[in-house]
């Protein structure tokens, strides 16, 4: 039995209970006040006009008549320009979608460094050795060199890039980390996907597979790569099984370099198709270069393109020559996504390259010997819409809701721009001017 409380005990107990009640009431009132303040802040934010910019007197795709483009919160709108909108005078310039570099190696570049003299090389293994030498002798770290090149690309009107970073025991994950640093510094001006690329081979170089696994498992990369599973790695099934298992296990994409021009190339491509189908990786796989495709007969090309389209396997080309550039028009007829890229830029492989995707569109026209206006315009489209499609980005067509990623330049029409490559006077990303006259803002 509980003993009876004295009057003093009862009063003390009541006071204790009352105090607790008062404390609870105060806490509830405080919480309600915080909720009200939060709700008021949210309401005020909802009423606040979006960040708006009007780009006056511009000609989308070289139209004869100029228009005003209104951007609110980074996207085009067909609504009236808000009264508070910032005004940017286009001066009658052409407005063109910013371009997408679907295949570039910023980690290898010596951009902004002293000139290096390259040595003779006979095959990928020799180039890999020279890559390591350049990596060890460069005074500036990967992050700084990659940033210089990627920032330069922005000033030339690049809105996004898929950046391949060498992953090998000679470097560890320095390439991945360096590109990530550059990506973060340019977050407001450039969208970047990073590929862990085993340039030295997945199987032939022990330790590479574990580095790929670490990069994928820790979320350091968007994609894992491979390289010539037969002719360079000499282990097609082992390489492809490992790469595709990583993609399936860790939810990343695949982007494989395939340089073989003969039946080895088509055999690897079939292996990629089979694994994409069996692991339900539709839309998450890209094959770069694919030099075997341009050499196929029309019927063989059509059959391969149908399989690629069915699994939404994307392709990229860097337009290296008339014989090796992908037949973009034929592939697009079958619904295959095809992007254009820079590849290596001023690295141990080549002294050439400039990360200017308008120049790359120009080179695409040059190597394919085009001369008609629609053919030249198609070269630009490959660098703009083709790359966006490969990277899974929305196209920029100046329609309401499209991202406001574009460049303003002086010119007559798209074909003339592809040929003459005028300076990108103004570069806009997400509705904000990020570069003017070749310099970051």
């Amino acid at each position: 039995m509980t003993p009876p409380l004295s009057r003093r005990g009862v009063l003390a107990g009541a006071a204790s209970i009352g105090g607790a009640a008062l404390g609870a009431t105060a806490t509830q009132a405080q919480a309600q006040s915080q909720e009200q303040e939060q709700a008021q802040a949210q309401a005020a934010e909802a009423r606040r006009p979006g960040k708006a910019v009007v780009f006056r007197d511009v000609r989308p795709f070289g139209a004869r008549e100029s228009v005003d483009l209104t951007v609110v919160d980074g996207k085009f709108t067909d609504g009236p320009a808000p009264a508070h909108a910032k005004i940017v005078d286009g001066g009658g310039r052409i407005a063109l979608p910013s371009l997408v570099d679907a295949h570039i190696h910023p980690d290898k570049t010596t951009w902004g460094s002293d000139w290096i003299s390259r040595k003779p090389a006979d095959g990928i293994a020799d180039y890999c050795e020279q890559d390591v030498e350049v990596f060890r002798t460069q005074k500036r770290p990967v992050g700084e060199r990659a940033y210089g090149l990627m920032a330069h690309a922005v000033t030339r009107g690049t809105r996004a890039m898929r950046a391949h970073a060498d992953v090998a025991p000679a470097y560890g994950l320095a390439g991945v980390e360096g590109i990530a640093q550059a990506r973060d510094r340019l977050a407001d001006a450039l969208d970047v996907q990073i590929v862990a690329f085993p340039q030295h081979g997945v199987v032939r170089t022990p330790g590479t597979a574990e580095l790929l696994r670490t990069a994928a498992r820790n979320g350091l990369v968007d994609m894992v790569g491979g390289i010539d599973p037969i002719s360079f790695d000499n282990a097609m099934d082992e390489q492809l099984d490992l790469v595709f298992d990583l993609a399936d296990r860790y939810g990343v994409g695949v982007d494989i370099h395939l340089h073989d021009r003969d039946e080895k190339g088509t055999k690897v491509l079939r292996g990629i198709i089979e694994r994409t189908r069996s692991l339900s990786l539709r839309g998450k796989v890209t094959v770069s270069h694919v030099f075997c495709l341009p050499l196929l007969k029309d019927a063989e090309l059509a059959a391969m393109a149908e399989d690629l389209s069915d699994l939404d396997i994307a392709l990229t080309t860097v337009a290296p020559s008339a014989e090796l550039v992908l037949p973009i028009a034929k592939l697009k007829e079958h619904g295959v996504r095809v992007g254009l890229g820079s590849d290596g830029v001023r690295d141990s492989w080549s002294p050439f390259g400039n990360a200017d995707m308008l120049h790359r569109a120009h080179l695409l026209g040059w190597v394919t010997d085009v001369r008609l206006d629609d053919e030249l315009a198609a070269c630009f489209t490959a660098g703009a819409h083709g790359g966006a499609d490969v990277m899974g980005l929305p196209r920029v067509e100046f329609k309401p809701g499209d991202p406001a990623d574009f460049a303003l330049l002086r010119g007559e029409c798209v074909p003339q721009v592809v040929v003459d490559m005028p300076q990108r006077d103004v570069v806009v990303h997400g509705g904000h001017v990020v570069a003017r006259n070749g310099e970051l803002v």
Side-chain angles (χ1 to χ4, degrees), residues 182-191 429:
R183 174 202 60 197
D184 293 345
R185 291 176 66 183
L186 292 166
D188 293 333
L190 183 69
D191 298 323
H429 189 80

Side-chain angles (χ1 to χ4, degrees), residues 55-59 66 88-94 408-410:
F55 295 87
R56 283 188 175 163
D57 190 19
V58 300
R59 297 183 294 121
S66 64
V88 176
D89 185 7
R93 290 175 175 82
I94 293 179
L408 299 179
L409 43 86
R410 296 191 181 279

Side-chain angles (χ1 to χ4, degrees), residues 50-53 55 71-75 86 88 98 154 188-189 403-407 426-436 441:
K51 295 179 181 179
V53 185
F55 295 87
V71 177
V72 176
D73 289 337
K75 295 183 179 181
K86 178 181 178 180
V88 176
S98 297
V154 169
D188 293 333
D405 298 344
F406 62 98
V426 178
V427 179
V428 180
H429 189 80
H432 299 285
V433 175
V434 294
R436 285 184 183 273
V441 173

Side-chain angles (χ1 to χ4, degrees), residues 227-236 239 260 264-265 267-268:
I227 181 170
D228 298 330
I230 296 177
S231 64
F232 186 63
D233 228 6
N234 300 310
M236 185 185 90
Q239 181 189 129
D260 295 318
K264 291 192 291 291
K267 182 177 180 180
V268 170

Side-chain angles (χ1 to χ4, degrees), residues 80 166 200:
D166 278 13
H200 296 188

